[in-house]
């Protein structure tokens, strides 16, 4: 996927091989450069880097919850705004593989300008991910009330 201005995001992980299995094998992100302590992935056209933090072996990355639409949204979190069909396919894949959702896939802000499909889950190191979709991404992504 070509992105005009890709972002760069780096997160900490407890195990590089585990990150490769989750982001590369499971989520299907192509791998770029790497070393023993970090690995780059193409996350839907963005440069996503996992850096090894051995201190996470004993405890996962921590976050707090912020109330949004009746759910406790983990913060910090990251993810991608997908087309609806791709979001539905990813949600199905995650369900089929028994991924534990922090927030099950659902439609948030029903009937409002920001109506969106969303889901939250964690990677093996405890990094929170949100994948979302809009019926019309171009019109709805930044639409105000």
């Amino acid at each position: 996927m070509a992105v005009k201005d890709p972002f760069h995001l780096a997160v900490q992980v407890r195990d590089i091989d585990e990150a490769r299995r989750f982001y590369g094998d499971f989520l299907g992100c192509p791998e770029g450069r790497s070393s023993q302590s970090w690995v780059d992935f193409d996350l839907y056209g963005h440069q996503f880097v996992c850096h090894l933090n051995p201190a996470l072996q004993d405890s996962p990355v921590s976050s707090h919850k912020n109330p949004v639409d009746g759910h406790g949204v983990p913060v910090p979190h990251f993810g991608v705004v997908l087309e609806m069909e791709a979001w539905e396919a990813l949600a199905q894949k995650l369900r089929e593989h028994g991924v534990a959702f922090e927030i099950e896939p659902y439609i948030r802000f029903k009937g409002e300008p920001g109506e969106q499909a969303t889901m939250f889950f964690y990677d093996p190191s405890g990094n929170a991910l949100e994948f979302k979709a809009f019926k019309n991404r171009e019109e709805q992504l930044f639409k105000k009330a």
Side-chain angles (χ1 to χ4, degrees):
M1 171 187 229
V3 175
K4 181 179 177 248
D5 296 312
F7 66 75
H8 165 83
L9 175 66
V11 300
Q12 52 188 329
V13 297
R14 65 185 182 184
D15 183 286
I16 293 295
D17 289 331
E18 182 179 62
R20 280 188 166 107
R21 287 189 301 275
F22 183 78
Y23 289 102
D25 298 340
F26 181 66
L27 288 183
C29 300
E31 185 174 324
R33 294 167 292 154
S34 68
S35 77
Q36 291 182 348
S37 62
W38 58 269
V39 59
D40 282 349
F41 293 101
D42 177 344
L43 180 68
Y44 295 89
H46 301 281
Q47 185 186 40
F48 175 67
V49 187
C50 294
H51 287 274
L52 179 63
N53 180 353
L56 294 177
Q57 289 293 336
D58 299 325
S59 61
V61 174
S62 64
S63 63
H64 75 276
K65 305 282 174 53
N66 189 37
V68 178
D69 193 38
H71 294 275
V73 170
V75 179
H77 65 264
F78 64 94
V80 179
V81 180
L82 302 172
E83 293 291 341
M84 189 62 75
E85 187 174 296
W87 182 88
E88 290 168 345
L90 178 59
Q92 183 62 33
K93 177 180 181 176
L94 295 169
R95 284 185 181 112
E96 288 171 358
H97 285 85
V99 169
F101 291 99
E102 177 64 29
I103 299 175
E104 293 277 339
Y106 83 108
I107 303 300
R108 173 166 58 189
F109 307 133
K110 282 188 178 184
E112 298 178 33
E115 182 175 314
Q116 59 196 258
T118 187
M119 62 181 140
F120 287 82
F121 55 96
Y122 295 95
D123 75 5
S125 294
N127 293 296
L129 289 89
E130 175 187 20
F131 284 81
K132 62 171 67 178
F134 296 86
K135 288 180 183 175
N136 186 328
R137 184 171 58 183
E138 286 71 32
E139 288 183 17
Q140 293 178 290
L141 185 59
F142 296 108
K143 187 173 183 173
K144 293 183 179 183

